[in-house]
Amino acid sequence: MSTITEYLEELSGRSVTVIGMGISNVPLIKMLLRAGVKVTVRDKASREKVADLAQELESLGATLVLGPDYLKDLGGELIFRTPGLSPNTPELAQAVENGAALSSEMEVFFQTCPSHLVAVTGSDGKTTTTTIISEFLKEAGKTVYVGGNIGKPLLPDVADMDPEDYAVLELSSFQLMTMEQSPNIAVITNLAPNHLDYHHTMEEYTNAKKNIFLHQGEGDRLILNYDNDVTRSMAAEAVCPVTWFSRKERLEEGVYLRDNAIWLTNEMGSREVLPLSDIQLPGVHNIENYMAAIAAVDGLVPDKCVRAVARRFHGVEHRIELVRELDGVKYYNDSIGTSPSRTTACLESFNQKIILIAGGYDKGVPFTQLGVEIVGHVKALFLTGNTAGAIRQAVEQAPGYAESGMILAETEDLAAAVAAARQAAKPGDVVVLSPACAAFDHFKNFMERGQVFKKLVQEL
């Protein structure tokens, strides 16, 4: 490992390309330019869309290549890719074949961060689990930096970090795909088919996730979900000891449920850590998120700190977030429901049949099982976005649909879906936006979609 100063000195005189002018790369670009590194920045956005930022970066010395041909004649000794660009992209693969080295903002952070590294990945629950872990550590008096796929880029803070601090990161499969370093504590919440528009196969998606632990050392720690077939099978490749968590099995060692509480058994014995009644978040999936977080901080955080956080923590925005109650109807924003498995977990969080708004960008994930879950948990379904037809077909073909009496309709947009849901709702009902899809068909991201939904609901 080198310091950030040493790392930047090593780049002096080298030609560096940074692909993408997004939120994670801009601090990296500025850091490189201020260190005197020759930087070419490439982005598919037109100059009109990024005019102010483009002018700022050029004033710092950057060369810009913008527009649809931004990857043409891609070169440079070192290329930093944006997480959204697959390393399998032909132009990128060709550049590597021609001798370019490939890296990313997150890989530089891992190379230069002096603090303890805790990282969380998985198909569902990443953000909530990452946030809970960070809150546990803060409650115990640790200095904590939170970043990765949430919060702000941490690379600008790396020079201020100390060895006794903790960096807690949420990592996506996009970020992990080319990682060659792993954190001291790695957590995989679960794995299910997701992002198959990017990875193309479940195997590639799973292999990307494995990089969170494949480069660990013997003194590190890996936290895996015992109830998930994919994560359970990963233990065979673990380099360091595995700590299991399970909501369904009472484990001989690990984190598990017993007597309406979360228990932990390790070499020191068994103990009750957290009564379920202390958890303020709805849904069994959030019990699993707490289990994963408790396993991650075992030995670092006293149990009293765990309980204090659970009693006050009401969740992260866009995750089964109560927006308002109107005329006896509760409206929830679960815009983070960007996959069928996320939406299924949301549906299972309510003890009544709900009114669901779903649909969005097509990631190539099948909806067959989601159709079954919707028939079992939904009384009225309003679909919007590119996948509306595919989800409708999955629901109509699911067993029990014909007898269910479900209201099912496709709507023009999210505003029309909200209006239709309100019209269908009666006092005591619950209306939930949980799309089971990404937001890119009509929105910049799931956060923007959630904000629009909340605005629409507040205006009812």
Side-chain angles (χ1 to χ4, degrees), residues 340-341 343-345 347-348 353 356 367-378 394-395 398-399 406:
S341 57
T343 294
T344 297
L347 298 178
E348 292 173 345
K353 284 202 169 188
L356 177 66
F367 297 114
T368 306
Q369 184 56 36
L370 178 66
V372 175
E373 300 295 340
I374 286 174
V375 169
H377 293 91
V378 173
V395 171
M406 182 195 302

Side-chain angles (χ1 to χ4, degrees), residues 148-395:
N149 212 33
I150 59 173
K152 63 173 187 173
L154 293 183
L155 196 56
D157 295 330
V158 76
D160 299 323
M161 295 182 183
D162 292 322
E164 63 269 22
D165 297 341
Y166 285 82
V168 185
L169 310 164
E170 176 192 325
L171 297 180
S172 69
S173 58
F174 304 165
Q175 291 165 312
L176 285 165
M177 201 168 177
T178 54
M179 289 286 284
E180 295 182 352
Q181 284 183 269
S182 297
N184 307 109
I185 300 173
V187 180
I188 304 183
T189 56
N190 48 61
L191 279 179
N194 202 354
H195 300 299
L196 298 187
D197 58 327
Y198 180 101
H199 290 290
H200 303 302
T201 67
M202 182 64 180
E203 182 182 18
E204 182 181 290
Y205 175 61
T206 303
N207 287 339
K209 294 291 193 182
K210 287 179 183 178
N211 278 332
I212 200 169
F213 70 83
L214 288 178
H215 310 288
Q216 285 186 302
E218 290 184 8
D220 294 330
R221 186 188 308 177
L222 173 60
I223 318 300
L224 292 176
N225 185 342
Y226 188 84
D227 301 336
N228 182 272
D229 291 342
V230 183
T231 55
R232 191 165 67 244
S233 69
M234 288 178 170
E237 297 179 70
V239 181
C240 62
V242 174
T243 301
W244 297 105
F245 67 94
S246 174
R247 183 173 56 84
K248 299 176 181 177
E249 303 286 340
R250 186 176 292 190
L251 304 173
E252 292 184 9
E253 192 169 342
V255 180
Y256 54 92
L257 289 187
R258 173 179 161 190
D259 304 328
N260 288 314
I262 296 175
W263 282 65
L264 188 148
T265 298
N266 58 19
E267 67 276 3
M268 305 292 289
S270 299
R271 68 183 195 273
E272 179 184 319
V273 179
L274 179 65
L276 297 187
S277 57
D278 282 353
I279 298 175
Q280 302 300 306
L281 305 181
V284 295
H285 60 294
N286 279 313
I287 295 174
E288 293 180 355
N289 293 337
Y290 265 98
M291 289 178 152
I294 287 167
V297 302
D298 182 31
L300 301 173
V301 173
D303 293 351
K304 66 179 181 180
C305 295
V306 169
R307 292 190 285 272
V309 169
R311 292 183 193 123
R312 70 160 190 265
F313 182 63
H314 289 274
V316 183
E317 189 181 17
H318 308 301
R319 291 151 179 85
I320 318 185
E321 173 194 10
L322 179 61
V323 179
R324 75 181 291 198
E325 184 171 346
L326 176 66
D327 299 333
V329 178
K330 290 182 177 178
Y331 292 81
Y332 287 87
N333 165 31
D334 190 54
S335 186
I336 189 60
T338 55
S339 67
S341 57
R342 277 188 184 274
T343 294
T344 297
C346 174
L347 298 178
E348 292 173 345
S349 300
F350 296 93
N351 56 9
Q352 66 185 88
K353 284 202 169 188
I354 71 167
I355 296 170
L356 177 66
I357 298 172
Y361 174 79
D362 190 354
K363 295 193 289 184
V365 179
F367 297 114
T368 306
Q369 184 56 36
L370 178 66
V372 175
E373 300 295 340
I374 286 174
V375 169
H377 293 91
V378 173
K379 62 188 293 185
L381 174 64
F382 298 103
L383 296 167
T384 184
N386 291 353
T387 59
I391 297 175
R392 177 173 193 146
Q393 185 178 33
V395 171

Side-chain angles (χ1 to χ4, degrees), residues 21 43-55 66-67:
M21 294 164 58
D43 196 289
K44 64 182 175 184
S46 65
R47 190 172 188 92
E48 294 72 37
K49 283 192 174 182
V50 292
D52 292 343
L53 179 56
Q55 188 174 353
L66 302 174

